[in-house]
Amino acid sequence: MRDLQHLLFFENMLQEANNELVQRACGEGRLALAYNCCYIPEVLLDVEGCFGVRLRAPRCTNPDLATYYMTNRSCPYSKSILERAFEGGYNFIDALMGQECCTTMNRMEQYFAYCKLIPKEKFFVSFLDMPLKKTEWHAGYYRRQIEKKVIQPLEKTYGVDFSEGKLRAAIEQHNELCRIITELGNFRKLDNPPITGYEFHVIQLVTLTCPKDMILPYLRETLEEVRNREPDPRPAYRARVMVVGSEIDDPDFTKLLEGCGAYVVADRYCFGSIPGRQEIVLEDGKDILQSVADHYMYGNQCPRAMGSENIVARKQFLYGIAKEYRADGIIAENMKFCEYWGYERAQVAQWMSEGFNVPKPIPVCQIEKDYTNAATGQLRTRFQAFVESLEIKRIQSGT
């Protein structure tokens, strides 16, 4: 297939957190509001005069200083973010919206304030206390947290306007972006898709790291281009896989996987589009903030949600997505020392491969990885063997 017109531009936007579009937005006097977790209500960070940016640390391979503060057995994603903060890589941000669902990430975000890493007089860090369960009461609690920990500090510190009209405008912009990403993602369901998993990964990442109003024109053009794109006569992949796991914000991981003969049809990980790119539904007569809270709490598939009903529901959700996108197998990943996803990865592998609480088994390949693709050779060997096993299964079944 011919290269996408804006692919190189998108790739360049991922080279640094303070990319070209971020610099342009900051130059216009807009507030850069950083966050690290899909529990943070992203849409509220994109009201007029602000833009949200999901923090990444591209090419950070040696978080030595952060390790001094956080020990060797800390999540490498959190350490890499802290290391880049010590290096001055996030000096453009005006606030950091944190959360208390992950101890390591919470500690990393605290150091932004304790060590005064951002040289801005009004910079602050705020922490949401996320509920452990999904009930009506917990949704109400989360809504109050949003108001107390996001809206009120931004109103008081920077005078941000969270009036109903501003919120509705931000939600509509968010929903348009979600519709574009969803349509692009749906192409992956085809036998011979006009978009690669790598390209989709890059596009999804720029929606998290660039001001949405500035990236939307490029996304609209890309969607139209993919609609009319002619795929190669024969699909290049040997097996279709779904990737499940924690923070995967390096598109080279997807490129490595697809270089082994796989095609990544679905991205159920912390930086992925499933379930992060579903539209926010506003119901008549329902409080807007409650609608936002319900969307982020009930739709989130983070393994932090406790209770047997949530544990079972997550596996059934994965099974449904795998079937919808016609995945031959699942890659279950966790970042080193990630307690939540470490348990979840082991459960996913056993439940899916044995067909426990799902209609039938699905082959699973388990991996544990660093923040960067340091062990590329080992991963390539694992992926090649898994793809070969899926291909053999398909040949034997006659499909």
Side-chain angles (χ1 to χ4, degrees), residues 86-149:
F86 276 120
E87 295 169 352
Y90 309 124
N91 286 353
F92 64 94
I93 65 176
D94 297 283
L96 173 60
M97 298 301 163
Q99 38 66 42
E100 299 190 16
C101 69
C102 169
T103 302
T104 304
M105 197 177 295
N106 178 248
R107 179 61 59 85
M108 171 267 290
E109 291 163 342
Q110 287 175 340
Y111 281 127
F112 271 72
Y114 293 162
C115 298
K116 302 184 185 302
L117 298 181
I118 307 302
K120 290 192 175 184
E121 182 180 353
K122 292 185 176 182
F123 173 81
F124 68 89
V125 182
S126 185
F127 298 94
L128 275 77
D129 179 20
M130 284 304 307
L132 286 166
K133 294 188 176 181
K134 300 180 180 182
T135 68
E136 185 177 350
W137 184 91
H138 290 91
Y141 177 79
Y142 181 40
R143 182 224 182 274
R144 294 190 295 274
Q145 282 287 302
I146 289 174
E147 191 167 31
K148 183 178 180 181
K149 304 294 181 64

Side-chain angles (χ1 to χ4, degrees), residues 143 211 219 236 348 397-398:
R143 182 224 182 274
L219 296 177
V348 167
S397 65

Side-chain angles (χ1 to χ4, degrees), residues 27-284:
E28 295 174 356
R30 294 160 65 179
L31 300 173
L33 307 178
Y35 66 108
N36 288 305
C37 177
C38 49
Y39 266 127
I40 304 300
E42 173 191 5
V43 68
L44 298 183
L45 310 184
D46 291 315
V47 295
E48 185 177 309
C50 307
F51 66 95
V53 54
R54 184 98 174 241
L55 294 185
R56 299 171 57 251
R59 303 190 307 279
C60 181
T61 58
N62 227 346
D64 290 340
L65 186 56
T67 300
Y68 171 79
Y69 283 86
M70 298 184 65
T71 80
N72 285 322
R73 289 180 170 81
S74 294
C75 158
Y77 167 76
S78 297
K79 288 195 298 184
S80 296
I81 296 296
L82 183 59
E83 186 75 18
R84 189 54 51 86
F86 276 120
E87 295 169 352
Y90 309 124
N91 286 353
F92 64 94
I93 65 176
D94 297 283
L96 173 60
M97 298 301 163
Q99 38 66 42
E100 299 190 16
C101 69
C102 169
T103 302
T104 304
M105 197 177 295
N106 178 248
R107 179 61 59 85
M108 171 267 290
E109 291 163 342
Q110 287 175 340
Y111 281 127
F112 271 72
Y114 293 162
C115 298
K116 302 184 185 302
L117 298 181
I118 307 302
K120 290 192 175 184
E121 182 180 353
K122 292 185 176 182
F123 173 81
F124 68 89
V125 182
S126 185
F127 298 94
L128 275 77
D129 179 20
M130 284 304 307
L132 286 166
K133 294 188 176 181
K134 300 180 180 182
T135 68
E136 185 177 350
W137 184 91
H138 290 91
Y141 177 79
Y142 181 40
R143 182 224 182 274
R144 294 190 295 274
Q145 282 287 302
I146 289 174
E147 191 167 31
K148 183 178 180 181
K149 304 294 181 64
V150 177
I151 292 178
Q152 291 177 5
L154 287 172
E155 286 179 333
K156 181 179 179 180
T157 306
Y158 293 112
V160 178
D161 184 358
F162 285 97
S163 61
E164 181 174 333
K166 304 295 185 184
L167 288 176
R168 288 186 179 273
I171 290 171
E172 177 49 44
Q173 176 182 259
H174 176 87
N175 285 350
E176 181 189 359
L177 182 142
C178 288
R179 288 191 291 270
I180 292 173
I181 293 298
T182 298
E183 185 172 346
L184 286 171
N186 284 341
F187 285 115
R188 298 178 296 177
K189 299 176 183 178
L190 302 176
D191 287 332
N192 194 6
I195 186 171
T196 68
Y198 168 77
E199 291 169 337
F200 183 84
H201 194 171
V202 169
I203 294 168
Q204 165 62 10
L205 286 174
V206 297
T207 70
L208 295 167
T209 56
C210 297
K212 290 182 176 51
D213 61 314
M214 291 183 174
I215 203 67
L216 266 170
Y218 298 97
L219 296 177
R220 296 184 190 114
E221 292 181 8
T222 299
L223 175 59
E224 191 61 32
E225 183 180 359
V226 173
R227 283 172 176 166
N228 299 290
R229 196 184 196 189
E230 287 293 331
D232 295 331
R234 292 185 59 187
Y237 65 85
R238 296 159 56 196
R240 301 166 62 89
V241 300
M242 173 183 179
V243 179
V244 176
S246 54
E247 286 88 351
I248 302 177
D249 68 357
D250 184 359
D252 283 342
F253 175 84
T254 301
K255 180 180 286 187
L256 170 65
L257 182 50
E258 295 195 319
C260 296
Y263 178 67
V264 178
V265 296
D267 51 333
R268 184 18 251 148
Y269 44 78
C270 293
F271 277 81
S273 67
I274 302 171
R277 284 293 173 245
Q278 280 66 54
E279 295 185 54
I280 297 173
V281 178
L282 298 180
E283 301 177 23
D284 292 337

